[in-house]
Amino acid sequence: MDTLVVEHHECTECLDLYIRQGNITIPTAIAARLTNASNRDLNVCGHFPLDLIDVTSFNFDPNRKFKVIGKVIKADTSATGVVPLFYVESWASTPLYK
């Protein structure tokens, strides 16, 4: 399992979350399928409330950071290419990133 501190970037082609701290482990078979050159952007699924990163939601806060624990489970197609899909086992809001 990887532990990351992440945030949402509000932009046209941004993915779900941007890694601020921590390293993501990408299995070799999945890494071979990725086309997005960034090793900091990812999409998420699992136990994560997507309304917290939905800019149209009342719960959205552009300054909020999250500590997420999980793992990359597959390559996911997005507007920026093929990117890691990170399955979140658990999450919390965090002030860890400075």
Side-chain angles (χ1 to χ4, degrees):
M1 293 286 172
D2 294 327
T3 300
L4 310 170
V5 174
V6 296
E7 68 182 343
H8 176 73
H9 282 186
E10 186 178 349
C11 65
T12 305
E13 292 184 353
C14 289
L15 300 176
D16 289 342
L17 296 171
Y18 179 81
I19 300 169
R20 282 292 181 188
Q21 291 179 346
N23 294 312
I24 189 170
T25 304
I26 303 175
T28 305
I30 294 173
R33 297 188 55 220
L34 301 180
T35 60
N36 187 310
S38 172
N39 62 351
R40 294 272 182 211
D41 293 306
L42 49 86
N43 281 339
V44 294
C45 65
H47 304 285
F48 189 84
L50 294 178
D51 66 320
L52 295 180
I53 56 175
D54 175 0
V55 297
T56 64
S57 170
F58 178 75
N59 293 324
F60 177 72
D61 175 357
N63 298 313
R64 186 177 288 170
K65 312 292 186 277
F66 307 97
K67 177 181 177 183
V68 294
I69 299 171
K71 63 183 177 180
V72 173
I73 58 169
K74 70 177 192 173
D76 190 30
T77 303
S78 75
T80 63
V82 181
V83 300
L85 180 62
F86 190 82
Y87 183 86
V88 177
E89 292 283 340
S90 64
W91 71 275
S93 289
T94 182
L96 291 176
Y97 179 73
K98 297 178 180 157

